Amino acid sequence: MVYHIIYDGNCNLCSTFTQLLANFDQGNLFDYIPMQDEATLKQFHITSNDCEMGMILIDGNNIKRRWQGSDAAEEIVNLLPLGQAFITAYRALPGMKTLGDKTYEQVRDNRYNWFGKREKTYQSPYPFGCDERDNCSVSN
């Protein structure tokens, strides 16, 4: 099962999150597409305006099944080992989902001011369309 994560490759926070997740997952569940890769986004019928609402997670087995923003972040955690227990507990706490959504929106809207902007778009070592057989690692 493969999921595609669309992230802001110019955002320091987003790129760091992508690096950490890629190191943990090693390309087993996720591949990564920077929001700046308009050619690849077109394959999914996603525009740069669509990306303004935050990261996007796409189910590779059913590309119409998508999550965005804080919902994408929650689903990514849910897919990780032991993540489902964490997300279940998080959602069971009164007000946490609303707080999480609002926090995500604030970080999304202020990410460059708070965390900085990269001069060069970060490319994951597990880009869309590559797998272990292809040996597609990108160095950054």
Side-chain angles (χ1 to χ4, degrees):
M1 195 177 295
V2 173
Y3 291 85
H4 313 297
I5 297 176
I6 300 173
Y7 65 98
D8 184 346
N10 291 342
C11 165
N12 283 329
L13 175 66
C14 309
S15 298
T16 299
F17 171 77
T18 299
Q19 288 173 336
L20 291 170
L21 185 58
N23 286 337
F24 178 77
D25 178 56
Q26 298 289 302
N28 290 314
L29 281 176
F30 305 109
D31 60 28
Y32 306 88
I33 306 164
M35 291 176 179
Q36 293 73 21
D37 183 351
E38 293 180 17
T40 301
L41 295 182
K42 283 182 185 178
Q43 294 179 40
F44 295 101
H45 306 287
I46 294 173
T47 67
S48 56
N49 285 341
D50 296 328
C51 295
E52 289 181 18
M53 298 308 294
M55 74 164 73
I56 300 170
L57 176 66
I58 301 172
D59 183 337
N61 293 320
N62 178 0
I63 63 170
K64 291 183 179 189
R65 191 167 170 223
R66 300 173 180 196
W67 300 262
Q68 188 160 20
S70 61
D71 292 333
E74 289 175 23
E75 188 60 25
I76 290 167
V77 172
N78 188 49
L79 292 166
L80 295 173
L82 303 177
Q84 189 172 20
F86 175 80
I87 291 299
T88 299
Y90 164 80
R91 290 179 179 160
L93 294 171
M96 283 304 293
K97 173 70 173 144
T98 301
L99 179 63
D101 291 348
K102 295 294 182 192
T103 301
Y104 183 92
E105 290 171 11
Q106 287 297 308
V107 171
R108 176 198 67 206
D109 294 345
N110 295 288
R111 66 189 181 274
Y112 294 141
N113 291 332
W114 294 350
F115 302 100
K117 186 173 181 179
R118 298 172 64 94
E119 291 183 28
K120 181 180 174 194
T121 300
Y122 172 73
Q123 301 289 331
S124 167
Y126 303 99
F128 171 73
C130 293
D131 60 30
E132 291 176 351
R133 295 182 310 271
D134 293 331
N135 195 22
C136 298
S137 290
V138 176
S139 61
N140 282 296

